[in-house]
Amino acid sequence: MRTPIVTSLLLAAALGGCAGAPEQPAGPERLTIQVVETLPHDPAAFTEGLEFAGDTLYESTGLAGRSTLTAGPAGGEPRTTATLPSPLFGEGVTVLGPTLWQLTWQDGFAIERDSATLAELRRVPFQGEGWGLCHQAGGRLVMSNGSARLTFRDPKTFAVTGGVDVGRDQLNELECVGDDVYANVWHTDTILRVEAATGRVTGTIDAGQLRAKVNATGAEDVLNGIAAVPGTGDFLLTGKQWPVTFRVRFVPAPA
């Protein structure tokens, strides 16, 4: 039989152990989208990368022999267009002030361009495939290659400087916002919000209602294009060969 003193000591130790246990991180926040505006989009554009620089929207498109990079107002005609020579296949794009980087898919190099004229400046080789690309404050590039890993690269040399594993395969088009990276997951209607420093997924965004709005039924007509609208909490979302672009807000999903 335990004495009252021993029982009290055991209870105190148990409570102390609970109080000192490390707090487990909360699961990913569940979000959905609220459509704010619908804008025209080139239905022939096989969208691979989308990013704003000021009020200029840059869009990189794929398909061998049909890949382009355009710059202009969202929903309007491009002011500037660059065509990639066949058989290059364009992928993600990110703008760094006077220059930008455009990925190629399986061609083994990234293209540095003048961001005003889109003229090619140089090509820098890299290993593996190129899928999505964005940059964080301070200039660090974040790149996806279709795996579950985000790779960090130097903005001047394109050399690898690190990376994190996210735990979700087929990460595609990327958008950097503060300390977070938003990533389309290929062949799904899901966008992940990822803590770039750790790779932890802090939010999952269901954008499935958009495919229904554009009647996108083809195997390749998938969600793939995400750009934060500067100065707002809104995003532009589109897909491969979609006739419209949606300006949306990410809001909590219904319980």
Side-chain angles (χ1 to χ4, degrees):
M1 179 177 179
R2 291 191 178 101
T3 66
I5 294 176
V6 173
T7 302
S8 298
L9 289 174
L10 290 173
L11 179 60
L15 291 174
C18 291
E23 187 174 326
Q24 295 298 315
E29 182 182 12
R30 291 180 58 252
L31 301 164
T32 187
I33 58 169
Q34 178 185 81
V35 177
V36 177
E37 186 180 9
T38 302
L39 301 169
H41 181 248
D42 180 2
F46 200 76
T47 305
E48 300 289 359
L50 206 63
E51 185 171 285
F52 271 106
D55 60 359
T56 299
L57 182 66
Y58 291 79
E59 181 170 9
S60 177
T61 70
L63 297 178
R66 293 170 50 190
S67 295
T68 64
L69 178 65
T70 61
E77 290 295 320
R79 290 190 292 262
T80 315
T81 301
T83 301
L84 279 69
S86 184
L88 300 185
F89 192 117
E91 284 281 348
V93 64
T94 195
V95 185
L96 297 166
T99 63
L100 64 81
W101 287 105
Q102 182 183 23
L103 295 178
T104 59
W105 179 32
Q106 296 177 322
D107 303 292
F109 58 83
I111 303 171
E112 186 180 35
R113 297 182 181 274
D114 182 293
S115 59
T117 66
L118 305 187
E120 182 176 325
L121 303 176
R122 60 174 172 150
R123 299 181 181 186
V124 178
F126 64 83
Q127 296 294 315
E129 296 185 354
W131 286 42
L133 190 67
C134 65
H135 73 277
Q136 295 186 287
R140 181 173 73 173
L141 303 180
V142 184
M143 175 177 157
S144 64
N145 63 3
S147 70
R149 186 166 179 81
L150 295 177
T151 300
F152 304 140
R153 292 183 176 273
D154 183 274
K156 296 186 183 299
T157 66
F158 215 71
V160 175
T161 60
V164 290
D165 290 316
V166 175
R168 181 71 180 266
D169 205 13
Q170 296 192 317
L171 301 179
N172 201 355
E173 223 281 276
L174 306 178
E175 179 72 2
C176 294
V177 180
D179 296 329
D180 294 325
V181 177
Y182 290 81
N184 278 290
V185 181
W186 189 46
H187 276 167
T188 78
D189 298 317
T190 300
I191 297 169
L192 303 181
R193 186 182 65 206
V194 180
E195 189 177 71
T198 64
R200 184 170 70 92
V201 175
T202 63
T204 61
I205 302 152
D206 179 4
Q209 62 175 282
L210 299 185
R211 278 176 58 84
K213 289 179 183 294
V214 298
N215 194 29
T217 57
E220 293 298 326
D221 299 342
V222 294
L223 177 75
N224 198 48
I226 175 169
V229 182
T232 75
D234 296 351
F235 291 81
L236 286 191
L237 301 182
T238 193
K240 298 178 179 182
Q241 300 173 322
W242 286 13
V244 294
T245 299
F246 298 94
R247 180 166 175 159
V248 306
R249 292 172 186 152
F250 299 149
V251 297

